[in-house]
Amino acid sequence: MEKQELIRKFLSLGCMVDQDALQAMVDNPSVADRALQMITSGQKVQTITLQWLNHQPVTIIQTFNKINGSITPDDVIRSVQKRYDSMRETLSKQMQNMLSINKISPKTRNFSLISMIKENNGNSILVEDDTGEARLSLKKELSDKSKFLVEDEVVGLECEQAEGIVVGNIVWPDIPLGRIVAKADSSCIFAANVPDGKPFDSEYVFSFGNPTNSKAFFITNTPAVNTFPDPCMVRIGDVKILFLSCTEYTKTWDVAPEVACLNLLKKRSLDPRINLASADMSLSDIPDLIVCPTSGEPAVLNYKGTTIISTSYPVCWSANLKTRETFKISMA
Amino acid sequence: MDVEFQLLDCDYILVDGVVVRLFGRTKEGESVCAFFRGYDPYFYAQHKDNIEEIKGFLVKKFGKLVKKVDIVERFRPIGYTQTKTKMLKIFLTDPSQTPLVRDELLKASLVQEIFEADILFKYRFMADHGIYGMRWLKVTGTPARTDTVNTNIKINAEKFEQAEDQLPNLRYMSVDIETLSEMEDIPNPKNDKIIMVAINFHPHFDGKKSIVLIAKRYKNVNSAIAAFRTEKEMLEEFAKIVDTYDPDVITGYNLNDFDMPFLLTRMAENKISRVIGRCNQKASFSRKIGLRHRNDICGRVVVDVYELIRESIGKGLLRLKRYGLGDVSKALLQEGKLDVSYKDIPKYWEDDGVNFEKLIEYSRKDSELALRLLLEKNMLDKFIEISKVCGLLLQDVLEGGEAQRVENLLLREFNSHGYVIPLKPSDKEIMRRIDERESKGLKGALVLDPVTGLHTACVVYLDFKSMYPSIFIAYNICPTTLTTKADDNIKTPLGTEFVSKSTKLGVMPKIVDDLIKERDGIKGQMFKASGDERRLLEAKQLALKYMTNSFYGYTGYVRARMYLLDVANAITACGRDIIQRAKHVVEDSKKYTVVYGDTDSIMVKIDTMDLDQAFSTGKEIEKTINGHFKGTIEMKIENVFKTLLIMGKKRYAGTSYEKSNGEWKEKIVMKGIETVRRDWCNLTSDTLLKVLEIVLGEQKPKKALEYMREIVKKLEKNEIPVEELVITKGMSKALKEYKGTQPHIELVKKMRKRSAGTAPSLGDRIGFIIIRGTQILSERAEDPDYAKQHGMKVDSKYYIENQILPPLERVFEAMGISKEEIFGGGKQRMLSDILKGVNTKPTVDSLNAVDGMVCSKCDRSYRRPPLTGKCNCGGELLFFSGDQRSKQFTPLKH
């Protein structure tokens, strides 16, 4: 493609192109094609540079939008049932002595249920499966776990019946142990809560350091360069990155955002509560990285091969997607 | 010297051997401590052929701790036998070491079995000397010179005798504390101080009815208010008052879980001696057992009026929605607390004028109300009499369970008949018993299938007098009479056999028979008695009835020493057989129908509307049944129902008539119908009561249905005052300790954001209504005043579906009024449509905002669909928004 044509094309997509990048695209049309594909699939960039071109492509693989178009009651019912069935399949691999609610008799001693939470009042829960509902007491020792139970989520419950049914353990769908650690030949910088009007571009950020030699950076929850919808999952190479601000659950559970994300990861859902106007928030793909903003101390934690990063201006994290090393960059 | 006193407490100390101490008060009002020496703890061990080996082991291992070992003969407790078994009776010098010796013997496998090695020493002593808690005791002895106790009379006892029962002359002290908390949280005795201690006395102390101690300088002190510079000085004065006044009973409202543990902890923090009991060496202490606290004050009894109220409510003797001191005293004493909010206390404390005085009076009043409840309502009477019957000390009767009471009685009777009693079961044994129950089953009483519906002809209610106790006696049921071998056995319907009374009278049947006879004697005395004497006799006969009826439950209790599944099953099998036979006797006459029966009673329908005729027919039935059982068990007509609505097993309501002094007394009886539930609004309770009144009083179910429909219509039109729709729930812990979402807690969070100063706080009951909206239920709880001010609409659907309909549907269905008739019309019409008399709600093509989903058949709404995909009634689900329904929802893009 001619230079002029390329400039026109990129301008129509809202981007400018620097000279080095332009020359590279003229010399190698496949580079131009790749750049076009990246931008049309959602990658936002103000100026296309050689550095940008040398990046691995970032592809948005899942967004969790509100529903488009009309839905019927049957659509909602099918969606709820499908979600239940899918979680049940995951949980059934971890549970033993499973029963449905209608099969519980006074003689049943130890058994498991896979059910949807209808109500949680701290001491007991009301649960439902496709055969009925039941009220179960919670063992006192479970209070640290049961506080994370959310309406409409699907969990496994290990129960015992003596005088009434008591839940002895709560099992979440969770992510499997021993996953192969996904890698990408790239490094990224993650930032969040960047104040309005703040000049925030790679030059500015890299001036504070670039320990992983990152070539790209991502900002969550701030209208700026490289912003992604919240929530959304992207892929760089083989690495899947989930951007998520779980403010509501951070408040409800009174925990740090990275802990809230961890619990949502275990539930395999970004928001278990069923909302008729929203799409299903189930996490069928397991992210390798989760990035969320925080109003507290930025932190990193690792869980079964998934790295959870919480970050807030003036701190951002530099992450090597090959080795999963992370470094804090302070712009204070 | 001789001293007669009422026994309150018993303990022991070690001073050159064991010294037992008995504490009480004389008729003249003097406090007493009687010391007794020369009694040693002991237990039994059934040896193998190795007496000398055991003796050698004991001497080597324990030296002087083992005082002596006797060889005795006793009957083993389980199973009929005519022969006693040789056993070792092992005496020790220190009761607290009994578990150690017992465990070592068992570990060394030197004995076959051990008995009575876990009886509390005080009860071992009391049983062997025929001493019972709260009974009057005559002690003969010599004056004791000691400073170890601070009672008026101290005596070295030589002899004990039971004295004649007298009216108690106890001293009561009621305590209420106020604290200042740094955080808006549950006060913490480690950090937060006590600012006031209010005390009320009965009888008066130094001419004073009450005194309030305050921990700050105050200019208006008088005889009823004492001010101190510091908390420490105030608490020292408190301890001094206890010592001087020397109460027998210390009481308060929630004393056990709050005031007393707090006081004791603050005394410790201030390095003040916690010796506030009658022993000058033993510090009082508070211990946590499970979720509750137990407070130990030597020689005194700690009584928590709140626990007594909860017990009465649990037994159905009181019907109250709220258990706070204010609500309880208003209901029972027609006087409430003073109006000071918990969150105003810090502000009033800082004041020096009117508000501070208000705070003082508020605290004084709380203390006064607790004492008045205890005394004016005679709340301790029952427990005092139970103590006298079973032998436990009053404190243990208040704190312990039924099993402990029965076992104390069994210990005495078994021992007196030459039996030993087993140890308490180990955890392993308890599991075995539970498994046995699972596999064999513990069959309960018989509950006949009721003839549900509204019965408008008279129904007589007959019941067997003390059925289970009578079964014990008639069949000679006891662990000691259980057998398979003897010839003249009594066989129960389940096949379990017991030896006959002529072969050996069982210990349990004897105890039960004695209790019944004593109760009959007391009832006879009641006719001639009046005033306090009659009141105490009434309490006594109730205590005897209670103890008599405890034996059956005890035999089936897995943690009981004498648990025997066969015995428990035998009793219920006899009970079931008796009820069945009674039913057949009635129905064989072919004139009457048994419409219901439960455990020990039957209800027989008589074809008449006349009460006198029904009663006389009932008497004939009574005679016929008693003739059939030939005196082994007796049935009696209790009352006649003129109208009876039976809704199911254990659920009925009726207008009952009882004959008293030749006249009929009417009352409405309700069983299993919760008209007082704390999570119902007033509208629900009132509507249910009114519906039942119409049904039972006027016998007009359709009128009752119309009434309910009127209420539902008014709800839909928002014509019900918001005050009638308020649901209340308490906030018993700090917000952050609540897990999960609850409506009243979510509301408190909202209210705190609006105005932290006026929001409810810990201990408050929160009243809320449910308003309309799309959020989940717990987020739609709202403060009624706020809702009114902001024109928020009540979610009438929630109230109809979750508050009004559930209890009332059951009432109408029992009368044969179907759901269709309640809801009206054909399948497609919805309740509210029927009630309004309008056609189906408008269905539109599409909605772009929804409140949720709704059933097209029964109009029940859902936030999300059930997993079955259909409504519980089988109806199809639609989207709804306000009045509109649709099969399509197109969310607006944002």
Side-chain angles (χ1 to χ4, degrees):
Chain A
M1 236 185 269
E2 294 283 328
K3 275 186 185 177
Q4 292 301 328
E5 208 181 320
L6 275 170
I7 291 170
R8 246 197 318 271
K9 201 141 201 141
F10 283 110
L11 268 177
S12 72
L13 292 172
C15 314
M16 293 185 291
V17 190
D18 81 2
Q19 289 302 318
D20 294 335
L22 191 59
Q23 192 57 54
M25 283 192 278
V26 164
D27 294 343
N28 191 346
S30 64
V31 172
D33 288 340
R34 190 160 58 83
L36 279 168
Q37 197 186 26
M38 277 160 59
I39 289 164
T40 49
S41 68
Q43 272 267 18
K44 287 204 175 111
V45 59
Q46 269 185 346
T47 309
I48 297 174
T49 62
L50 206 55
Q51 266 180 342
W52 188 88
L53 282 177
N54 288 338
H55 278 175
Q56 292 233 5
V58 177
T59 323
I60 293 179
I61 54 173
Q62 191 177 5
T63 54
F64 301 84
N65 296 323
K66 290 203 186 296
I67 294 168
N68 281 327
S70 294
I71 52 167
T72 64
D74 278 350
D75 292 331
V76 174
I77 292 164
R78 267 197 294 272
S79 160
V80 169
Q81 288 173 337
K82 190 176 156 204
R83 179 153 85 89
Y84 173 74
D85 289 338
S86 152
M87 294 293 182
R88 183 167 58 180
E89 205 188 305
T90 308
L91 281 163
S92 62
K93 293 172 192 155
Q94 305 174 56
M95 315 293 297
Q96 305 217 349
N97 287 345
M98 282 182 291
L99 280 185
S100 50
I101 287 174
N102 68 339
K103 292 278 189 245
I104 302 171
S105 76
K107 293 208 169 134
T108 331
R109 288 281 305 280
N110 296 307
F111 59 95
S112 302
L113 294 174
I114 296 176
S115 37
M116 193 177 268
I117 305 289
K118 272 188 99 167
E119 197 185 286
N120 173 13
N121 70 11
N123 299 317
S124 71
I125 47 175
L126 182 65
V127 302
E128 177 194 9
D129 67 14
D130 46 12
T131 66
E133 57 180 57
R135 184 164 284 282
L136 318 171
S137 303
L138 293 165
K139 262 195 176 161
K140 268 178 235 148
E141 297 82 52
L142 280 184
S143 59
D144 283 342
K145 264 186 165 180
S146 67
K147 80 174 202 176
F148 292 109
L149 285 172
V150 172
E151 272 178 355
D152 305 336
E153 71 166 304
V154 182
V155 287
L157 301 164
E158 288 169 8
C159 306
E160 49 196 61
Q161 182 166 222
E163 286 167 32
I165 303 174
V166 179
V167 178
N169 192 22
I170 301 168
V171 179
W172 274 285
D174 214 341
I175 59 175
L177 196 59
R179 286 184 301 131
I180 298 168
V181 177
K183 293 177 185 178
D185 204 6
S186 185
S187 293
C188 307
I189 298 218
F190 300 105
N193 295 340
V194 177
D196 278 347
K198 185 83 189 170
F200 204 83
D201 52 26
S202 44
E203 198 183 312
Y204 178 76
V205 172
F206 295 150
S207 70
F208 291 92
N210 188 0
T212 57
N213 202 26
S214 302
K215 293 180 175 51
F217 64 100
F218 304 103
I219 306 176
T220 68
N221 81 334
T222 306
V225 183
N226 286 350
T227 315
F228 293 94
D230 173 25
C232 90
M233 185 119 71
V234 305
R235 185 169 54 217
I236 303 176
D238 289 329
V239 176
K240 291 183 218 131
I241 305 174
L242 172 66
F243 293 101
L244 168 69
S245 57
C246 48
T247 333
E248 196 193 329
Y249 285 107
T250 302
K251 262 193 230 159
T252 307
W253 294 328
D254 193 23
V255 295
E258 62 274 7
V259 175
C261 287
L262 169 61
N263 279 285
L264 290 174
L265 180 66
K266 286 183 184 174
K267 291 174 197 295
R268 299 292 292 273
S269 174
L270 303 187
D271 185 0
R273 283 195 309 206
I274 293 168
N275 184 329
L276 297 181
S278 293
D280 184 11
M281 302 289 265
S282 297
L283 263 183
S284 42
D285 273 335
I286 301 169
D288 303 296
L289 256 102
I290 303 178
V291 182
C292 62
T294 178
S295 58
E297 192 61 37
V300 172
L301 55 90
N302 288 293
Y303 180 72
K304 292 186 181 176
T306 296
T307 308
I308 304 175
I309 294 172
S310 67
T311 184
S312 185
Y313 184 87
V315 165
C316 55
W317 290 96
S318 173
N320 184 323
L321 299 185
K322 201 171 187 176
T323 62
R324 296 290 181 89
E325 286 171 290
T326 49
F327 298 91
K328 226 189 232 182
I329 301 173
S330 177
M331 292 167 286
Chain B
M1 92 194 246
D2 286 341
V3 181
E4 269 186 28
F5 63 94
Q6 186 172 30
L7 178 64
L8 287 163
D9 195 11
C10 173
D11 72 356
Y12 73 91
I13 50 175
L14 286 170
V15 179
D16 298 327
V18 181
V19 180
V20 177
R21 301 188 299 187
L22 298 157
F23 296 92
R25 192 174 287 281
T26 67
K27 192 173 64 174
E28 293 76 24
E30 296 192 284
S31 58
V32 177
C33 179
F35 300 89
F36 186 83
R37 275 186 182 280
Y39 180 79
D40 298 311
Y42 64 85
F43 64 93
Y44 298 95
Q46 186 175 338
H47 54 279
K48 305 172 190 176
D49 209 3
N50 59 347
I51 296 176
E52 292 310 315
E53 191 188 347
I54 293 173
K55 283 184 177 175
F57 172 82
L58 288 170
V59 163
K60 190 175 171 192
K61 191 102 185 164
F62 300 107
K64 291 202 174 129
L65 173 59
V66 176
K67 192 167 184 180
K68 63 172 175 168
V69 178
D70 287 350
I71 301 171
V72 298
E73 286 185 344
R74 295 284 185 272
F75 286 115
R76 290 176 56 86
I78 312 290
Y80 166 68
T81 176
Q82 294 203 322
T83 335
K84 287 187 178 180
T85 306
K86 274 209 172 70
M87 293 186 188
L88 299 180
K89 189 173 179 182
I90 301 170
F91 291 85
L92 305 177
T93 53
D94 181 354
S96 68
Q97 302 303 306
T98 309
L100 174 68
V101 178
R102 170 195 75 206
D103 292 344
E104 289 297 323
L105 271 174
L106 285 169
K107 217 161 63 180
S109 302
L110 287 169
V111 296
Q112 281 190 48
E113 204 171 339
I114 287 188
F115 302 94
E116 300 187 14
D118 54 0
I119 308 285
L120 287 177
F121 181 67
K122 59 184 176 185
Y123 289 124
R124 171 92 278 161
F125 171 82
M126 285 168 67
D128 283 350
H129 289 83
I131 295 173
Y132 290 71
M134 294 311 283
R135 286 199 194 183
W136 287 82
L137 202 52
K138 181 174 165 185
V139 173
T140 306
T142 53
R145 285 179 188 281
T146 176
D147 288 331
T148 55
V149 297
N150 60 339
T151 51
N152 302 123
I153 300 172
K154 299 162 205 174
I155 175 171
N156 283 321
E158 285 153 17
K159 198 170 92 177
F160 300 101
E161 281 171 69
Q162 190 142 291
E164 206 183 295
D165 209 15
Q166 298 172 59
L167 288 176
N169 186 14
L170 301 175
R171 271 191 207 169
Y172 299 83
M173 183 169 122
S174 157
V175 176
D176 179 80
I177 66 171
E178 303 302 334
T179 61
L180 211 54
S181 189
E182 299 275 307
M183 316 275 279
E184 200 190 306
D185 217 322
I186 303 173
N188 182 347
K190 290 283 176 195
N191 309 317
D192 301 325
K193 294 191 174 168
I194 299 175
I195 52 176
M196 271 186 202
V197 182
I199 311 172
N200 266 256
F201 306 98
H202 176 84
H204 291 184
F205 172 46
D206 235 10
K208 287 191 280 271
K209 185 180 149 200
S210 68
I211 187 166
V212 180
L213 312 177
I214 54 180
K216 84 172 196 181
R217 288 187 198 276
Y218 181 59
K219 53 185 192 287
N220 292 338
V221 289
N222 53 42
S223 62
I225 302 174
F228 302 88
R229 285 177 306 172
T230 60
E231 182 199 27
K232 182 174 178 177
E233 284 180 17
M234 178 184 72
L235 293 177
E236 279 167 346
E237 180 65 16
F238 168 73
K240 216 162 109 185
I241 289 174
V242 176
D243 189 52
T244 314
Y245 182 64
D246 193 20
D248 301 298
V249 175
I250 298 184
T251 187
Y253 205 84
N254 204 23
L255 182 83
N256 269 337
D257 281 329
F258 180 66
D259 303 76
M260 195 49 72
F262 210 104
L263 266 165
L264 293 172
T265 308
R266 288 309 302 166
M267 289 172 87
E269 292 289 314
N270 280 284
K271 303 202 184 346
I272 298 170
S273 164
R274 285 171 295 143
V275 173
I276 53 171
R278 285 181 165 142
C279 172
N280 289 330
Q281 293 159 343
K282 250 189 193 175
S284 302
F285 61 92
S286 185
R287 58 204 150 106
K288 199 158 183 193
I289 300 175
L291 295 171
R292 318 286 291 276
H293 284 90
R294 288 295 161 238
N295 299 286
D296 212 283
I297 304 180
C298 178
R300 308 191 203 281
V301 183
V302 179
V303 177
D304 189 334
V305 177
Y306 171 66
E307 286 178 11
L308 299 186
I309 295 284
R310 291 298 301 260
E311 203 251 357
S312 298
I313 290 171
K315 290 211 150 75
L317 301 168
L318 270 179
R319 292 186 153 226
L320 291 168
K321 264 191 184 181
R322 300 174 210 187
Y323 312 146
L325 177 57
D327 296 299
V328 169
S329 55
K330 232 184 255 179
L332 299 182
L333 302 174
Q334 287 73 55
E335 188 181 347
K337 286 164 62 102
L338 291 189
D339 188 21
V340 171
S341 162
Y342 177 72
K343 46 186 185 299
D344 287 336
I345 290 176
K347 197 173 68 186
Y348 284 21
W349 174 249
E350 294 307 321
D351 190 62
D352 267 323
V354 161
N355 283 337
F356 186 66
E357 279 170 21
K358 204 170 172 189
L359 183 59
I360 293 176
E361 291 316 307
Y362 163 81
S363 188
R364 192 198 305 277
K365 187 55 121 184
D366 277 4
S367 158
E368 179 198 315
L369 288 172
L371 186 59
R372 282 182 59 198
L373 279 168
L374 186 70
L375 296 176
E376 288 176 33
K377 294 296 154 191
N378 301 310
M379 298 194 82
L380 269 185
D381 283 359
K382 176 177 97 176
F383 298 98
I384 289 174
E385 294 306 318
I386 290 175
S387 175
K388 288 180 188 174
V389 171
C390 73
L392 288 182
L393 297 163
L394 181 58
Q395 192 74 71
D396 290 328
V397 170
L398 291 167
E399 291 173 3
E402 209 169 83
Q404 206 183 355
R405 299 168 188 175
V406 171
E407 279 180 349
N408 202 266
L409 211 46
L410 287 175
L411 171 69
R412 292 160 188 263
E413 287 299 318
F414 267 61
N415 282 178
S416 74
H417 287 84
Y419 284 89
V420 289
I421 67 168
L423 297 177
K424 284 189 211 169
S426 62
D427 288 341
K428 196 171 157 193
E429 170 60 14
I430 291 170
M431 288 315 298
R432 186 205 68 76
R433 291 176 180 185
I434 292 173
D435 283 337
E436 183 195 40
R437 274 232 299 237
E438 268 282 308
S439 50
K440 274 190 185 177
L442 174 59
K443 292 193 181 68
L446 181 63
V447 181
L448 298 172
D449 285 328
V451 177
T452 53
L454 182 64
H455 301 278
T456 50
C458 288
V459 174
V460 295
Y461 181 97
L462 301 117
D463 80 352
F464 284 102
K465 198 175 124 179
S466 304
M467 180 197 251
Y468 284 159
S470 302
I471 289 172
F472 268 102
I473 297 167
Y475 290 85
N476 200 30
I477 293 178
C478 183
T480 61
T481 55
L482 190 59
T483 188
T484 50
K485 291 179 198 153
D487 289 329
D488 62 340
N489 291 353
I490 306 174
K491 211 169 181 172
T492 64
L494 209 60
T496 327
E497 292 180 40
F498 300 90
V499 294
S500 66
K501 283 175 252 196
S502 51
T503 306
K504 181 161 206 152
L505 178 60
V507 179
M508 281 188 187
K510 183 177 183 308
I511 298 174
V512 165
D513 196 29
D514 288 345
L515 290 172
I516 292 176
K517 284 184 173 127
E518 192 181 345
R519 185 175 174 226
D520 287 340
I522 300 287
K523 281 169 117 178
Q525 288 176 42
M526 277 171 67
F527 282 115
K528 300 171 232 161
S530 62
D532 277 344
E533 199 195 332
R534 192 192 154 86
R535 190 192 97 224
L536 291 175
L537 287 171
E538 170 70 18
K540 196 178 205 74
Q541 73 85 13
L542 281 173
L544 287 162
K545 178 181 174 183
Y546 165 81
M547 286 303 306
T548 313
N549 290 329
S550 298
F551 277 81
Y552 159 64
Y554 175 80
T555 57
Y557 175 53
V558 289
R559 291 177 186 277
R561 292 173 196 261
M562 307 270 212
Y563 165 89
L564 274 172
L565 187 61
D566 287 343
V567 168
N569 268 333
I571 297 168
T572 47
C574 293
R576 288 194 300 274
D577 179 58
I578 287 169
I579 287 289
Q580 285 283 24
R581 281 157 62 189
K583 179 175 188 254
H584 288 142
V585 163
V586 169
E587 290 183 338
D588 279 350
S589 69
K590 300 207 191 319
K591 286 192 268 181
Y592 316 112
T593 322
V594 172
V595 293
Y596 184 49
D598 184 353
T599 309
D600 60 354
S601 62
I602 53 173
M603 294 188 188
V604 183
K605 191 164 179 173
I606 315 286
D607 193 15
T608 179
M609 310 268 272
D610 182 72
L611 280 174
D612 287 310
Q613 202 180 338
F615 188 80
S616 114
T617 311
K619 277 299 218 190
E620 277 173 34
I621 297 174
E622 181 191 287
K623 199 170 157 188
T624 312
I625 292 175
N626 289 338
H628 175 82
F629 287 103
K630 297 185 178 98
T632 51
I633 191 153
E634 216 179 287
M635 181 157 247
K636 199 169 155 242
I637 175 172
E638 284 289 327
N639 56 286
V640 180
F641 286 100
K642 211 166 182 194
T643 321
L644 180 66
L645 171 66
I646 302 181
M647 295 193 291
K649 285 190 178 181
K650 299 190 186 282
R651 300 185 73 244
Y652 60 85
T655 38
S656 155
Y657 288 83
E658 216 173 302
K659 212 153 196 185
S660 171
N661 296 327
E663 283 186 11
W664 288 109
K665 277 197 174 149
E666 180 194 320
K667 68 176 178 188
I668 302 244
V669 165
M670 291 194 235
K671 291 274 189 261
I673 300 169
E674 299 147 300
T675 51
V676 179
R677 260 180 63 165
R678 275 143 70 88
D679 52 354
W680 281 0
C681 60
N682 283 345
L683 182 69
T684 305
S685 322
D686 293 345
T687 308
L688 179 60
L689 275 168
K690 183 72 187 170
V691 158
L692 284 171
E693 258 174 48
I694 298 172
V695 164
L696 298 173
E698 297 175 55
Q699 300 181 8
K700 289 178 181 167
K702 300 271 184 212
K703 183 178 173 184
L705 182 60
E706 268 317 303
Y707 176 81
M708 187 200 79
R709 286 171 171 172
E710 272 306 309
I711 296 292
V712 171
K713 259 189 227 179
K714 284 185 179 172
L715 255 174
E716 288 220 314
K717 290 183 193 168
N718 283 311
E719 286 172 10
I720 303 285
V722 155
E723 292 72 30
E724 293 293 302
L725 301 174
V726 175
I727 303 162
T728 55
K729 280 201 169 166
M731 194 166 92
S732 55
K733 42 192 181 184
L735 273 187
K736 62 178 185 260
E737 289 181 52
Y738 279 93
K739 321 279 183 231
T741 53
Q742 294 186 52
H744 65 304
I745 298 304
E746 296 307 305
L747 174 59
V748 170
K749 289 177 187 169
K750 262 193 272 191
M751 289 172 82
R752 283 196 180 173
K753 279 188 192 148
R754 290 171 195 159
S755 166
T758 55
S761 50
L762 178 69
D764 287 345
R765 282 200 74 79
I766 293 113
F768 62 93
I769 58 171
I770 302 293
I771 56 168
R772 286 180 59 183
T774 54
Q775 313 95 304
I776 56 170
L777 181 71
S778 52
E779 288 170 15
R780 289 189 284 121
E782 190 51 81
D783 171 46
D785 290 333
Y786 185 89
K788 267 198 270 189
Q789 280 163 22
H790 291 79
M792 291 172 167
K793 286 203 177 130
V794 155
D795 182 355
S796 47
K797 275 198 182 3
Y798 166 83
Y799 282 93
I800 295 167
E801 286 162 13
N802 295 285
Q803 290 271 318
I804 300 290
L805 281 185
L808 284 156
E809 256 171 32
R810 287 193 284 268
V811 172
F812 288 114
E813 277 177 351
M815 289 190 281
I817 298 176
S818 65
K819 268 200 171 99
E820 263 83 38
E821 229 181 306
I822 298 172
F823 297 141
K827 283 183 185 180
Q828 297 306 315
R829 303 186 73 198
M830 288 155 251
L831 169 64
S832 48
D833 306 330
I834 306 308
L835 297 174
K836 279 191 185 174
V838 300
N839 287 326
T840 325
K841 291 260 183 298
T843 308
V844 301
D845 287 337
S846 184
L847 297 166
N848 50 33
V850 293
D851 293 338
M853 298 182 88
V854 66
C855 175
S856 55
K857 193 168 150 188
C858 71
D859 219 37
R860 184 179 169 166
S861 64
Y862 295 87
R863 181 183 54 82
R864 54 123 176 120
L867 277 174
T868 53
K870 285 192 175 336
C871 176
N872 291 350
C873 77
E876 191 198 344
L877 296 172
L878 304 171
F879 295 119
F880 82 95
S881 171
D883 278 351
Q884 297 179 318
R885 275 114 176 86
S886 181
K887 281 193 180 181
Q888 218 163 43
F889 167 38
T890 310
L892 286 173
K893 286 193 186 172
H894 296 267

